[in-house]
Amino acid sequence: MGDAPDAPPRETDPAPGADPAAETAFYESLPRVRGAATALLREAPGGRVLLVDPVYRPGWGLPGGVVEEGESPLAACIRECAEELGLHPRLDTLVAVDWIPPHTTPNRRPALIHVFGGLLPPRALDRLRLPPDELAAAELLTPEQAADRLPADLARRTARALQAQDAGTTVYLEHGRPAPWTA
């Protein structure tokens, strides 16, 4: 409990009458959702976007990857960019959250993809260090070129994220599409 009888409870204190074993069992029974974080990095506001070509799966994408256990999506995005690109991007906003339905993933579990926006430092493309076991290439492309290069689901997500970034907003998506708010 708290430090003294009149001290307020701490966040880590169990609720009165709580059964920690039952609570743990309850949380362990809940569905699992994979988390990932990507960086929508541009050379200038409204400018070209950075795409990467991973060696471990087909198709181009945005830099980023899986959110590790205990890691925030933002920390994962920064870590993944450092690992994949050799740079720490200046991220300044969350531009999109995309829910990926379970029937579209290999492990049949849904995913939440966080897309963070930011700017690349000047001449960043010249300074990228791509690990050969992760990335084959990186390119700066116009939004139109990016849409042509990306797989359909990533093209939808990226197009909506670019629109949100340009408008200074955040968008919630479901498989790269606007949410069915009135469904």
Side-chain angles (χ1 to χ4, degrees):
M1 298 287 272
D3 295 326
D6 59 345
R10 294 179 302 211
E11 196 172 313
T12 57
D13 290 341
D19 177 350
E23 189 172 10
T24 298
F26 167 73
Y27 282 105
E28 288 298 321
S29 73
L30 295 177
R32 304 286 190 263
V33 176
R34 177 176 46 89
T38 62
L40 184 63
L41 300 171
R42 294 170 104 170
E43 64 183 344
R48 294 182 300 172
V49 62
L50 180 69
L51 294 188
V52 295
D53 181 15
V55 298
Y56 50 86
R57 66 172 168 77
W60 287 71
L62 298 175
V66 173
V67 177
E68 301 292 339
E69 189 165 338
E71 185 176 45
S72 77
L74 178 59
C77 191
I78 293 169
R79 175 186 51 76
E80 286 284 346
C81 286
E83 290 174 4
E84 292 181 353
L85 306 172
L87 65 86
H88 293 273
R90 192 183 86 208
L91 301 172
D92 55 20
T93 188
L94 174 68
V95 293
V97 175
D98 193 6
W99 179 79
I100 309 302
H103 72 274
T104 66
T105 67
N107 67 353
R108 298 294 192 220
R109 288 190 177 158
L112 278 177
I113 313 297
H114 296 77
V115 183
F116 295 97
L119 295 176
L120 288 165
R123 296 178 309 286
L125 203 56
D126 299 334
R127 298 192 321 256
L128 296 183
R129 295 183 327 238
L130 307 180
D133 60 331
E134 286 202 41
L135 298 178
E139 291 185 29
L140 283 169
L141 302 170
T142 65
E144 296 78 17
Q145 292 168 322
D148 290 340
R149 180 81 53 97
L150 293 167
D153 58 335
L154 295 178
R156 287 192 307 268
R157 178 186 314 138
T158 302
R160 300 285 183 187
L162 284 164
Q163 290 170 353
Q165 188 179 41
D166 289 343
T169 63
T170 302
V171 63
Y172 170 73
L173 306 168
E174 292 189 356
H175 207 213
R177 295 179 178 93
W181 295 109
T182 58

